[in-house]
Amino acid sequence: MMSDGLQLAEIPREKRISKADFLKKYVRPQKPVVIEQLIEDWPAYEKWNLEYIDEVAGDKIVPLYDDRPISSEYKFNEPHTKMKMSEYIKLLKSGPTNYRIFLYHMLKEVPSLQKDFWFPDLGVRFLKQLPTLFFGGENSKVFMHYDIDFANILHFHFHGKKQCILFPPSESQYLYKVPHALISRQDIDFVNPDFEKFPALKKAKGYITELNHGEALYMPEGYWHQMTYLTAGFSMSLRATPRSVTNFSKAVYNVFFMRHFDNYMRKWKGQKWIDYKNEQAIKKTHQKNKI
């Protein structure tokens, strides 16, 4: 399927899947899949919606992010503002908003939510840490990135619809990756890309799907992903350790060196460092692709 020119195939879907098939068809070959009926036995499947979150967590102060470009003002993953969860849910229900919550430890803040889910038996070694939640308003976007720890991710969506665009790590050379970071250039609109400015994107081959309430998306390790909330809603991710030694060592490098180096350079060079990295993203991509 071409989404305004991008080469995007629909992510395959399975209603249910056995552990053996999941490992054979998707985990070993590192291919994404949507599992439609994986969590119908979780209490969360019936209970989790914005009203329920308001009821159990309305008084919590939550970190919010919008879609402003990364700048030297903020550290790696530093929130742009904070508000009470109940106010944020009101904002979500009132119409489109750019404010999102990501990597929020709500299950730690509200322990009763921990009884609403369990780790599926799919043959992967889930990290038994408490999962984090992600919230977004209608039309809010999560820029194209891959995860610092190269985890295999099961991403469950609740309340509404979300569009997900994925690219395998093999396509990194076409995605204008920003050096010393986990993102592509933030001025790329993957829903409607500008091929004159970013011609290498034409060569990238990826995947697309729409996630509905209760569906699970498997994202293999190191996969790029960009999300658009088609309606207000929220998601939860369970993470499993990287299977490949190479990806494990990349994860260690990202966590213990790259992140700290980038924060140090932002502090020292400020906006010049951000601008330099964005220029390099174009320069290096065009050199690699002889553009």
Side-chain angles (χ1 to χ4, degrees):
M1 162 180 172
M2 301 286 276
S3 161
D4 290 321
L6 281 178
Q7 299 185 63
L8 300 175
E10 283 286 342
I11 296 177
R13 289 178 161 258
E14 305 267 3
K15 275 220 173 345
R16 295 183 182 80
I17 193 164
S18 68
K19 186 199 307 192
D21 279 351
F22 180 61
L23 289 171
K24 184 178 150 195
K25 289 169 72 174
Y26 302 107
V27 179
R28 287 194 195 108
Q30 291 285 282
K31 300 278 187 202
V33 63
V34 175
I35 310 170
E36 294 174 347
Q37 295 175 10
L38 182 62
I39 64 165
E40 289 186 328
D41 57 345
W42 284 9
Y45 182 76
E46 296 293 338
K47 287 158 70 173
W48 283 19
N49 54 34
L50 291 173
E51 294 72 31
Y52 183 65
I53 298 296
D54 196 2
E55 200 180 298
V56 297
D59 60 338
K60 302 292 175 193
I61 304 292
V62 294
L64 297 176
Y65 301 80
D66 58 26
D67 55 3
R68 74 186 76 176
I70 285 173
S71 79
S72 58
E73 272 179 75
Y74 295 92
K75 276 188 181 167
F76 189 88
N77 285 354
E78 188 184 346
H80 297 136
T81 189
K82 294 181 177 182
M83 69 172 68
K84 268 191 164 183
M85 191 73 195
S86 55
E87 288 168 37
Y88 177 58
I89 287 174
K90 249 184 226 155
L91 188 64
L92 290 181
K93 288 179 163 182
S94 68
T97 173
N98 289 334
Y99 277 122
R100 295 178 291 107
I101 300 177
F102 80 105
L103 297 174
Y104 179 51
H105 291 281
M106 186 176 282
L107 284 89
K108 196 174 175 184
E109 300 276 334
V110 186
S112 63
L113 292 171
Q114 294 172 31
K115 298 181 189 128
D116 291 344
F117 85 99
W118 40 85
F119 292 88
D121 182 14
L122 285 171
V124 291
R125 283 188 315 229
F126 286 113
L127 300 165
K128 290 299 196 265
Q129 65 199 41
L130 287 176
T132 48
L133 297 186
F134 306 80
F135 289 74
E138 184 186 337
N139 293 336
S140 65
K141 288 183 168 63
V142 182
F143 47 78
M144 184 65 78
H145 69 288
Y146 61 94
D147 284 13
I148 195 165
D149 59 355
F150 279 81
N152 288 278
I153 296 165
L154 270 178
H155 190 71
F156 306 88
H157 192 60
F158 298 95
H159 197 114
K161 264 182 189 283
K162 186 180 195 179
Q163 178 186 269
C164 312
I165 294 176
L166 308 187
F167 287 99
S170 60
E171 306 305 289
S172 297
Q173 60 188 317
Y174 310 123
L175 298 178
Y176 296 87
K177 180 191 178 304
V178 174
H180 310 293
L182 309 164
I183 59 171
S184 68
R185 276 189 58 129
Q186 283 178 278
D187 52 347
I188 296 175
D189 178 356
F190 279 89
V191 176
N192 185 21
D194 178 347
F195 289 130
E196 286 198 9
K197 193 172 177 188
F198 305 112
L201 290 174
K202 285 183 191 167
K203 296 181 182 180
K205 291 181 178 166
Y207 299 92
I208 189 167
T209 197
E210 276 184 18
L211 279 188
N212 302 295
H213 176 86
E215 292 181 341
L217 168 64
Y218 167 61
M219 292 189 279
E221 52 204 65
Y223 260 61
W224 291 86
H225 44 285
Q226 185 274 330
M227 313 287 192
T228 304
Y229 288 87
L230 301 175
T231 68
F234 62 103
S235 305
M236 177 176 90
S237 281
L238 299 182
R239 317 177 78 77
T241 48
R243 297 165 66 84
S244 112
V245 175
T246 311
N247 284 345
F248 181 75
S249 58
K250 283 179 187 169
V252 169
Y253 170 81
N254 287 343
V255 171
F256 293 106
F257 180 74
M258 187 272 291
R259 176 170 54 176
H260 300 292
F261 174 71
D262 190 50
N263 277 337
Y264 168 75
M265 291 300 286
R266 282 186 205 202
K267 216 185 262 181
W268 182 37
K269 294 280 191 186
Q271 193 58 38
K272 279 184 185 165
W273 172 242
I274 307 285
D275 295 342
Y276 166 76
K277 291 198 304 173
N278 278 323
E279 283 161 22
Q280 287 295 305
I282 287 193
K283 196 176 163 186
K284 288 187 170 182
T285 303
H286 289 173
Q287 273 172 353
K288 264 184 208 160
N289 293 287
K290 298 184 169 57
I291 290 169

